[in-house]
Amino acid sequence: MKSISVLLPTYNCDCVALVTELQRQCVAEGIDFEIIVADDASPVKAYIKQNECIERLEGVRYIRRTKNVGRSAIRNFLISQGSKEWLLFIDGDLALDKRDFIKSYLEAEGEVIVGGITITDDDEEWGRNLRYRYEKRYEQSHNAALRQRKATQNFRTTNFLAHRDVMAKCPFDESFTEYGYEDVLLGKSFARQRVRLSHTDNPILLASFEPNDEFLDKTEESLRTLSKFKRELEGYSNLLNVVQKIRRYHCIRLLNLFYSLFNKSIKQRLKSNKPSVFLFNTYKLMYFVHYDSQKL
């Protein structure tokens, strides 16, 4: 039976319910486990105070960091703290409604196993939220069969189990200090190391979503990251593939013109109560081309 270190990075989120259910399932399975939660210097101290109660649970450690180190470095830190043979990574801002979540991972095979995500059906509460609409639009692509077709390209760090030896060979790249794409590069690293990667339907639940303006800010930050590391991410980004085609047809200037004319009005629509996924995808393309062009 696998021994598991469950590793949760947190930042400005309440992880009590998630950790409580993970701990309950680990105890129920009778496995050798530990759950380590590392807060990456959340500026909202109320979340840290709220999460402190998880320390009362058997097998749970809660580490409060005083300096924010970013998504890659905090995960490498968690790896250094874990002591078990298998490492289960779960983002701390997610939810768990699958009663056999841990059992499913215990039975899965592969050096890296990716469980995927599912999106809440609470349209009444979240129907006007941009990220909710975006995630629901592409939820079908989260099933394991589709993800397995391009296994390493579809790798995401949201919810995956990896053998310790694999992560020793393929640590997170800590040069990724801003938001986005550190998981995409890790998937490419797995491919280079010929890691046996399996996708399975063992999802974690995405049940809450940041406001539209915050989601747009994070999206723009991730696009700047993509621009910075575009050479390293070549072949692993659909957006980069689209931009390459646009360059072949000499349409970069036209997209830059569209951005200068329409970016403000599109952003206003995306921040509204009626955001459009089509406009969001269009905005991402225009923003990336505009930002990347400024660097040339």
Side-chain angles (χ1 to χ4, degrees):
M1 185 174 287
K2 298 180 175 103
S3 64
I4 297 180
S5 296
V6 185
L7 308 177
L8 282 81
T10 63
Y11 184 79
N12 279 354
C13 68
D14 174 1
C15 68
V16 175
L18 173 60
V19 172
T20 301
E21 178 60 15
L22 286 168
Q23 192 266 358
R24 184 198 68 77
Q25 291 191 25
C26 287
V27 171
E29 293 300 325
I31 60 171
D32 180 18
F33 80 96
E34 61 185 354
I35 299 175
I36 306 174
V37 180
D39 182 273
D40 196 15
S42 294
V44 181
K45 302 308 177 186
Y47 286 114
I48 299 175
K49 188 70 176 176
Q50 195 170 19
N51 290 332
E52 286 178 347
C53 66
I54 63 176
E55 292 180 300
R56 297 197 292 266
L57 297 171
E58 177 189 353
V60 176
R61 265 205 299 156
Y62 183 39
I63 302 170
R64 305 154 191 81
R65 305 273 287 179
T66 57
K67 180 181 178 182
N68 181 270
V69 294
R71 293 162 61 88
S72 291
I74 194 66
R75 286 173 170 83
N76 284 339
F77 170 75
L78 281 164
I79 292 170
S80 74
Q81 296 299 301
S83 63
K84 308 305 180 185
E85 182 181 10
W86 290 86
L87 307 174
L88 175 56
F89 293 84
I90 300 172
D91 287 354
D93 59 350
L94 299 172
L96 182 56
D97 64 348
K98 193 172 184 288
R99 303 286 288 181
D100 61 346
F101 179 78
I102 294 295
K103 181 180 180 182
S104 295
Y105 268 132
L106 294 174
E107 296 173 348
E109 296 183 358
E111 295 176 288
V112 173
I113 303 127
V114 184
I117 64 171
T118 188
I119 314 302
T120 182
D121 288 322
D122 195 349
D123 190 72
E124 183 175 346
E125 179 176 359
W126 297 108
R128 296 178 178 180
N129 182 274
L130 175 58
R131 187 178 180 190
Y132 173 76
R133 290 190 178 191
Y134 177 77
E135 297 287 358
K136 289 300 284 186
R137 171 71 63 86
Y138 297 105
E139 187 175 19
Q140 299 271 334
S141 64
H142 296 324
N143 78 72
L146 289 177
R147 285 186 275 122
Q148 191 66 49
R149 292 178 185 177
K150 294 184 177 180
T152 55
Q153 286 94 331
N154 288 323
F155 172 77
R156 296 294 180 268
T157 57
T158 308
N159 167 29
F160 77 100
L161 181 71
H163 195 276
R164 172 173 291 281
D165 291 345
V166 171
M167 298 310 299
K169 291 187 299 183
C170 305
F172 287 88
D173 188 336
E174 295 189 15
S175 61
F176 281 67
T177 57
E178 305 299 326
Y179 181 82
Y181 287 95
E182 75 286 341
D183 50 355
V184 180
L185 187 63
L186 183 58
K188 192 170 185 177
S189 180
F190 287 154
R192 287 171 174 166
Q193 293 292 332
R194 300 181 183 276
V195 171
R196 190 159 56 98
L197 193 152
S198 302
H199 287 268
T200 184
D201 282 319
N202 190 33
I204 201 82
L205 177 66
L206 183 55
S208 63
F209 307 87
E210 58 270 76
N212 294 350
D213 56 344
E214 290 183 19
F215 182 52
L216 277 174
D217 288 343
K218 287 170 64 175
T219 298
E220 290 177 353
E221 185 177 358
S222 72
L223 293 171
R224 295 192 294 271
T225 300
L226 178 59
S227 176
K228 181 178 180 180
F229 294 99
K230 60 184 177 182
R231 293 185 185 277
E232 292 86 344
L233 294 166
E234 186 176 358
Y236 273 66
S237 164
N238 290 331
L239 185 60
L240 287 180
N241 294 338
V242 171
V243 171
Q244 286 177 355
K245 293 178 181 178
I246 290 171
R247 290 190 189 282
R248 285 201 295 269
Y249 289 103
H250 307 288
C251 293
I252 295 297
R253 287 186 178 180
L254 184 61
L255 270 180
N256 273 320
L257 176 61
F258 285 166
Y259 179 83
S260 64
L261 292 174
F262 302 116
N263 82 89
K264 291 182 180 179
S265 59
I266 291 176
K267 283 190 74 171
Q268 187 175 4
R269 169 69 185 278
L270 293 175
K271 292 179 181 181
S272 75
N273 290 329
K274 294 182 179 180
S276 161
V277 174
F278 172 78
L279 280 180
F280 178 61
N281 287 331
T282 302
Y283 180 77
K284 286 198 299 181
L285 177 61
M286 292 194 305
Y287 182 91
F288 177 83
V289 167
H290 174 76
Y291 179 81
D292 198 55
S293 298
Q294 305 305 307
K295 297 168 54 182
L296 299 178

